[in-house]
Amino acid sequence: MHAAVITFPGTNREGDVARALKQAGAKVTHAWHADYELPKGTDLVVLPGGFAYGDYMRTGAIAARAHIMDAVRAHAAKGGYVLGICNGFQVACEAGLLPGILMRNAGLKFVCRMQHLRVERNDTAFTNAYTAGDIIKVCIAHGEGNYICDDETLKRLEGEARVGFRYCDAAGDITKENPNGSLNAIAGIYSENLRVLGMMPHPENLIETLVGGTDGKGLFASLGKAA
Amino acid sequence: MFLKNEPEITPELVKAHGLKPEEYDRFVALIGRTPTITELGIVSAMWNEHCSYKSSKIHLKTLPTKGKRVVYGPGENAGVVDIGDGMVVAFKMESHNHPSYIEPYQGATTGVGGILRDVFTMGARPIACLNALRFGEPDHPKTRHLVSGVVAGIGGYGNSFGVPTVAGQVGFHPRYNGNILVNAMAVGVAKREMIFTSKATGVGMPIVYLGSKTGRDGIHGATMASAEFDDKSEEKRPTVQVGDPFAEKLLLEACLEIMAKGCVIAIQDMGAAGLTCSAVEMGAKGDLGIELDLDKVPCREEGMSAYEMMLSESQERMLMVLHPHKEAEARAIFVKWGLDFAVIGHTTDTLRFVIKHGGDVKADLPIKELGDEAPEYDRPWSEPKKRFAIRKGDVPAPISNAEALLKLLGSPDLCSKRWVWEQYDHLILGNTVQQPGGDAAVIRIEDGPKGLATTCDVTPRYVEADPFEGGKQAVAECWRNLCAVGAEPIALTDNLNFGNPERPEIMGQFVMAIRGIGEAARRLDFPVVSGNVSLYNETNGQGILPTPTIGGVGLLEDVTKSASLAFKNVGDAIVLIGETKGWLGASAYLATICGHEEGAPPPVDLDHEFHHGIIVRQLIERGMVTAVHDLSDGGLAIGLAEMAMAGNLGAMIQDFDPEMPKNALFFGEDQARYLVTCDGSTAAQIEHHLNEAGVPAKFIGVVGGNTLNLPGEAPILVDELKSAHENWLPGFMAQAAE
């Protein structure tokens, strides 16, 4: 697995996700927003967390128009893997790689805390190391993670089982502990071909017992095996 | 030489610049003529309290600043301490009190931005932020608005910049009603040989302006910070700067990149009094003159005067002395990050600070004297009145001790601050081993095995009651919190927040608190490596509680061995280390339950602190204890409750001193105490070992169940403790603002 981690000005979790990818055995290259091409041999593009372009205008809106994003869209169109985490999810939505948009949290405040998620399916390249229905504990850290889309899109996402993760409590109840007001407690969604995943939570920060736990490791272990 | 004098310098204009008539006369004598308006602006910035430390300098000199690990003490942007293996840690704390009261969001963001810049200017990458916040009483109509704005501002900056905010303090008291405190601390790490300072070297070297453009924001911010407040303070809103964490993140990356490429001779951030302070400091430290051409300064607005440019406090800017042959390389890095890079002057051998603008010389001043000849005052001070010690038997118990515990746990000062720290990204960088809510935060350094512990502490109640003991206690508690997680305390930074130093009783608080801090820092081998003084924290003549915040950093050789406060196992024995005398004077119990803030604070025996701390660290290192917690505000009962809540386990406590009134036993705030838990079978051994070493240690109970059982009290469900602890702050903040 060769992962290209994109750095936009204002990206700040690129090191965290690179650490998780390397731990899972992936080769990691860093790519710059102003580049026109992805590193040769890229299997997976990672759009990391942060505040690309200061989140000015709208989160992800300016980053979605960076030069490198044309290459990322072309990579996705060819069936390449793309993982957008937090700000990366916002960028992916703005870039047209995923439907819908992330709005300001319902509580209007930035929220950083441990959060349980329900793994909705485990037959994708991102989740095959989990079991469907697993309840995992990872962290969230965002001010704008409130997933919204139109009814039609929501119906499609649900109908095609493209919701990757939902917020839930420790017992797996998705009607509890929705941290930001997302529709249907959506924490992450897939593209139609299940090769683009956008998610608000940070599995990359939960890869060690010493630092909070290891429930995020499964995602990178899955990707490590994918290519 | 032609010095065009725009407005005439009148006594009113001098006064409006915060200069006393005798200070102005001193300046005129120094330069031998009437200053220009630009020069008046420059000297007012250099000689105000905030930049010159004129009231505090002679006392600050008494603090211990040396130690075997200290690389740079006070006088640099941040203190630098060696942590072995070629690595150093740089850290400092600084206040942004007045701006945060006037404009809480921007005041707090620029406070965080300023302190982060202090750390990365030294070449260190920030790895943790902390903050100590003091607000007025909860019922005051502005408190909710200020809490909400300050917390959002701190989060807004740190979260975007990408550094975890891992620890802090939040307190409330009516004495902060018109003057809140926002003290921000940043901690960074670097390779020892990659540390940079502001000392310029070499004549004719280019001076480069880096970062964001200069605007009219923050002009005279430092002068405002050195004035008392009154009812019209909010009219000063335009003097508050606006923070841009995005620009700062870019500046961080660009600065570290040019440093790594060897482009930098000296570097200084533009903080208080912006271009003026940074340029003077670089020249004066290097025994060099500086000449600046303001036509080259990147400006955000048109038509800015030399006066405005020299005093602007626009944020996210740096000044650097560049290796001349590295200009192209350095410029390319800044262009890549989309930041301004402009050569605006050069160093000279004249020891003059020369400012040119539009072809005119706007200022020509002796550079060394601007700093060295600043007025220095030995202000008159009066010895604070001693308070009587309150006898424990004289403190009534108006409610049951179980009720008192729940009330204290849910009081504004002792309640959970989760509402605050969940708005801060405390997990970014993936190295937060212990998050907010414990005695000290623990951060792994890179991939380990080393780690840093960090905390900030002060008990303003104690300092008010006895500035000397209170100053000692602030240092001792900080040191104790670091020991409680198993770290070796290595150095501290102090942020001294006091009222108007021109009043002898306030100056007395300041002098005695510094003596207390110095005494404790010497005895505990805990040197002061950086700090900040914030005076004139008064509104309409009412001073704040004296609040010398102490920020400490400790080193863990093996971060996997840090201790935490949560009860871990059913059946673990609970051992109380240190002597319990039931000291209720100036306690949280007396204030919250009895409604009196009186009596002398608990005395701090520094020998006891030292020995108890060392032995607790040994217990942790040898893996003999399962949980550790220091005892402070609210005493034993609060300590037990915090351990129970964190571990979701109850405890059965025995009556280990039947003679003592129970409220004194549970809530007394005797110092130098820790609670530890250990395997039940080793408790007697630990007790014996500690008593042999002359450290009082007593088995007091056992971990288990879902209730906390204090002797003579009805059992309290751990869930009930939690709801009392967790509910106050969110409930308070949810009430509709007036």
Side-chain angles (χ1 to χ4, degrees):
Chain A
M1 168 63 65
H2 178 184
V5 176
I6 312 291
T7 303
F8 301 96
T11 294
N12 61 24
R13 264 187 166 90
E14 73 276 27
D16 301 18
V17 76
R19 182 190 256 173
L21 287 161
K22 284 178 194 158
Q23 188 199 50
K27 176 185 167 198
V28 178
T29 314
H30 289 270
W32 183 241
H33 71 113
D35 293 345
Y36 288 87
E37 282 174 28
L38 291 167
K40 289 236 172 333
T42 296
D43 302 306
L44 166 73
V45 171
V46 178
L47 305 169
F51 290 69
Y53 297 91
D55 272 359
Y56 296 143
M57 195 162 92
R58 273 194 324 273
T59 56
I62 305 176
R65 285 146 183 88
H67 292 320
I68 195 74
M69 289 308 294
D70 288 333
V72 175
R73 275 184 285 262
H75 169 81
K78 283 189 301 187
Y81 295 115
V82 179
L83 170 63
I85 301 175
C86 198
N87 192 221
F89 184 14
Q90 297 163 343
V91 174
C93 289
E94 284 282 349
L97 292 168
L98 291 168
I101 209 80
L102 285 309
M103 307 248 296
R104 191 106 189 262
N105 291 349
L108 301 181
K109 291 197 300 285
F110 187 95
V111 184
C112 176
R113 67 172 200 219
M114 290 297 171
Q115 171 73 47
H116 288 96
L117 303 180
R118 195 174 75 192
V119 180
E120 297 294 290
R121 55 190 294 176
N122 72 335
D123 56 349
T124 76
F126 300 89
T127 54
N128 57 47
Y130 295 110
T131 303
D134 269 355
I135 309 302
I136 61 171
K137 191 181 78 175
V138 296
C139 72
I140 53 167
H142 59 250
E144 308 191 25
N146 184 355
Y147 183 79
I148 301 286
C149 59
D150 58 43
D151 292 346
E152 185 80 3
T153 307
L154 186 64
K155 214 182 280 171
R156 273 194 67 191
L157 286 174
E158 294 290 3
E160 295 166 12
R162 284 165 53 196
V163 175
F165 302 92
R166 287 182 216 268
Y167 302 112
C168 63
D169 67 6
D173 184 343
I174 62 159
T175 64
K176 307 244 171 77
E177 297 191 17
N178 181 333
N180 50 34
S182 284
L183 282 176
N184 294 4
I186 287 172
I189 55 168
Y190 292 106
S191 59
E192 273 176 64
N193 65 1
L194 303 176
R195 285 170 170 253
V196 179
L197 169 66
M199 64 191 297
M200 287 312 295
H202 292 286
E204 75 274 29
N205 286 134
L206 276 294
I207 56 167
E208 291 173 274
T209 315
L210 180 67
V211 188
T214 56
D215 284 5
K217 267 176 102 160
L219 187 125
F220 302 97
S222 306
L223 284 168
K225 286 187 287 179
Chain B
M1 179 177 54
F2 178 58
L3 287 160
K4 197 157 62 176
N5 232 352
E6 296 105 333
E8 195 189 341
I9 308 297
T10 61
E12 291 71 42
L13 197 57
V14 170
K15 190 170 178 223
H17 280 76
L19 283 175
K20 302 256 151 50
E22 59 274 19
E23 293 175 340
Y24 176 71
D25 293 344
R26 183 188 178 95
F27 180 56
V28 171
L30 190 69
I31 63 172
R33 58 176 164 77
T34 302
T36 64
I37 182 72
T38 306
E39 290 172 334
L40 180 66
I42 289 173
V43 75
S44 78
M46 290 301 298
W47 287 8
N48 67 41
E49 190 68 57
H50 187 82
C51 294
S52 73
Y53 293 90
K54 61 192 170 192
S55 303
S56 57
K57 214 186 254 172
I58 63 164
H59 303 289
L60 295 175
K61 280 179 194 156
T62 65
L63 291 170
T65 59
K66 302 220 159 33
K68 58 181 193 299
R69 291 184 181 276
V70 179
V71 181
Y72 286 111
E76 294 300 335
N77 284 304
V80 177
V81 183
D82 195 307
I83 53 169
D85 300 330
M87 298 288 286
V88 293
V89 51
F91 66 98
K92 190 184 180 188
M93 182 162 25
E94 204 162 79
S95 63
H96 231 216
N97 303 337
H98 285 173
S100 301
Y101 182 76
I102 296 173
E103 207 327 284
Y105 186 93
Q106 293 300 344
T109 60
T110 50
V112 175
I115 199 67
L116 284 166
R117 233 161 23 248
D118 279 334
V119 164
F120 73 78
T121 305
M122 306 280 311
R125 182 175 280 278
I127 60 166
C129 274
L130 299 85
N131 55 80
L133 312 178
R134 302 276 162 191
F135 298 100
E137 61 198 319
D139 291 340
H140 189 275
K142 288 201 77 166
T143 299
R144 208 174 274 109
H145 155 74
L146 291 168
V147 172
S148 158
V150 166
V151 170
I154 290 173
Y157 207 96
N159 298 344
S160 175
F161 180 83
V163 63
T165 300
V166 294
Q169 265 199 322
V170 184
F172 298 84
H173 196 281
R175 292 272 291 279
Y176 304 105
N177 277 353
N179 195 131
I180 61 171
L181 301 185
V182 174
N183 295 175
M185 173 170 162
V187 182
V189 292
K191 290 205 176 81
R192 188 171 171 144
E193 72 273 14
M194 289 303 289
I195 284 291
F196 290 83
T197 69
S198 55
K199 185 181 164 182
T201 53
V203 174
M205 296 295 165
I207 294 176
V208 183
Y209 173 112
L210 306 171
S212 300
K213 294 186 196 310
T214 296
R216 289 193 169 92
D217 47 337
I219 291 173
H220 277 308
T223 309
M224 169 189 73
S226 305
E228 275 184 51
F229 268 11
D230 55 33
D231 296 330
K232 292 192 177 151
S233 293
E234 294 185 27
E235 293 174 7
K236 293 184 178 165
R237 196 182 301 241
T239 58
V240 177
Q241 315 88 322
V242 176
D244 179 358
F246 172 60
E248 179 116 323
K249 166 74 172 161
L250 305 182
L251 191 58
L252 162 79
E253 299 300 341
C255 283
L256 293 184
E257 217 172 308
I258 57 168
M259 286 167 172
K261 294 266 163 67
C263 305
V264 180
I265 295 175
I267 187 163
Q268 174 72 25
D269 81 299
M270 294 193 222
L275 199 47
T276 293
C277 262
S278 53
V280 169
E281 180 145 353
M282 290 174 103
K285 277 202 176 144
D287 288 320
L288 291 167
I290 300 271
E291 189 174 314
L292 300 181
D293 178 1
L294 299 188
D295 295 334
K296 306 233 168 81
V297 170
C299 285
R300 206 193 299 145
E301 301 171 54
E302 282 184 17
M304 286 186 69
S305 67
Y307 175 90
E308 289 170 323
M309 280 190 240
M310 291 311 291
L311 294 181
S312 163
E313 292 191 1
S314 291
Q315 299 288 293
E316 294 89 24
R317 301 179 302 159
M318 295 268 193
L319 204 60
M320 167 180 76
V321 181
L322 176 76
H323 277 296
H325 58 283
K326 291 278 194 180
E327 188 178 328
E329 196 174 352
R331 186 185 294 276
I333 290 168
F334 271 74
V335 168
K336 179 181 105 182
W337 288 100
L339 293 167
D340 270 302
F341 179 101
V343 177
I344 63 164
H346 58 272
T347 56
T348 67
D349 59 0
T350 61
L351 286 176
R352 303 290 294 181
F353 185 44
V354 178
I355 304 300
K356 292 182 177 164
H357 188 224
D360 291 332
V361 174
K362 295 290 185 183
D364 184 351
L365 298 169
I367 202 163
K368 298 282 279 186
E369 286 79 355
L370 274 177
D372 297 349
E373 293 296 318
E376 213 172 288
Y377 297 119
D378 184 0
R379 296 196 185 275
W381 58 278
S382 55
E383 186 101 23
K385 277 203 199 83
K386 287 270 179 202
R387 290 196 194 170
F388 287 108
I390 291 175
R391 286 181 305 183
K392 51 182 168 275
D394 291 346
V395 175
I399 53 177
S400 81
N401 291 315
E403 287 168 315
L405 173 57
L406 291 169
K407 190 167 174 189
L408 279 167
L409 276 178
S411 66
D413 277 357
L414 298 186
C415 71
S416 164
K417 300 304 183 308
R418 183 183 301 276
W419 185 91
V420 172
W421 54 257
E422 281 194 346
Q423 293 185 57
Y424 306 150
D425 190 337
H426 48 275
L427 301 167
I428 187 165
L429 306 183
N431 288 324
T432 307
V433 175
Q434 284 197 44
Q435 63 174 40
D439 285 323
V442 176
I443 302 289
R444 179 175 57 188
I445 298 171
E446 294 169 358
D447 290 321
K450 283 190 178 172
L452 295 177
T454 181
T455 172
C456 52
D457 299 282
V458 61
T459 313
R461 263 192 339 268
Y462 295 170
V463 192
E464 167 81 1
D466 183 336
F468 178 72
E469 284 299 323
K472 273 166 66 182
Q473 196 275 342
V475 175
E477 184 174 346
C478 180
W479 193 84
R480 205 187 304 143
N481 277 324
L482 296 174
C483 290
V485 296
E488 174 202 348
I490 54 175
L492 69 86
T493 178
D494 56 3
N495 199 153
L496 309 172
N497 308 273
F498 288 80
N500 181 349
E502 294 164 43
R503 286 170 41 198
E505 64 276 22
I506 300 288
M507 202 57 209
Q509 291 177 338
F510 184 74
V511 172
M512 294 309 288
I514 287 192
R515 286 191 190 172
I517 290 167
E519 181 157 311
R522 267 185 294 275
R523 177 63 188 95
L524 300 174
D525 197 10
F526 197 24
V528 181
V529 294
S530 58
N532 169 242
V533 177
S534 173
L535 300 174
Y536 298 95
N537 288 292
E538 303 213 350
T539 302
N540 296 329
Q542 166 79 289
I544 57 160
L545 290 180
T547 312
T549 312
I550 304 296
V553 173
L555 177 65
L556 288 132
E557 289 294 339
D558 181 354
V559 73
T560 64
K561 287 188 178 163
S562 82
S564 70
L565 60 81
F567 283 149
K568 306 289 186 311
N569 313 303
V570 173
D572 275 359
I574 304 169
V575 176
L576 173 60
I577 295 174
E579 203 175 353
T580 299
K581 291 182 178 168
W583 191 284
L584 285 172
S587 65
Y589 180 88
L590 195 60
T592 304
I593 306 301
C594 307
H596 301 297
E597 292 184 30
E598 55 189 26
V604 180
D605 184 317
L606 293 168
D607 289 328
H608 289 170
E609 288 289 355
F610 187 74
H611 292 305
H612 300 183
I614 298 277
I615 214 145
V616 164
R617 267 155 50 201
Q618 283 172 0
L619 292 174
I620 296 169
E621 251 168 53
R622 293 177 194 169
M624 294 172 75
V625 285
T626 46
V628 181
H629 190 17
D630 102 296
L631 293 188
S632 53
D633 271 332
L636 174 65
I638 289 287
L640 287 165
E642 286 170 343
M643 296 175 87
M645 291 184 291
N648 229 350
L649 278 171
M652 178 69 76
I653 306 301
Q654 47 183 245
D655 190 358
F656 61 93
D657 189 349
E659 303 297 309
M660 192 180 296
K662 285 290 166 290
N663 59 352
L665 184 70
F666 296 146
F667 302 109
E669 295 182 4
D670 308 278
Q671 299 292 297
R673 293 189 301 162
Y674 299 81
L675 281 171
V676 301
T677 63
C678 58
D679 188 276
S681 63
T682 61
Q685 193 193 333
I686 287 180
E687 220 180 329
H688 178 73
H689 171 67
L690 265 60
N691 288 330
E692 284 280 284
V695 174
K698 204 175 267 174
F699 168 81
I700 64 162
V702 179
V703 175
N706 61 356
T707 55
L708 177 61
N709 302 273
L710 297 173
E713 298 295 322
I716 313 168
L717 283 167
V718 174
D719 283 342
E720 201 181 340
L721 295 172
K722 278 192 192 170
S723 54
H725 192 53
E726 294 290 346
N727 290 347
W728 184 81
L729 191 50
F732 168 69
M733 292 307 297
Q735 289 164 40
E738 340 240 322

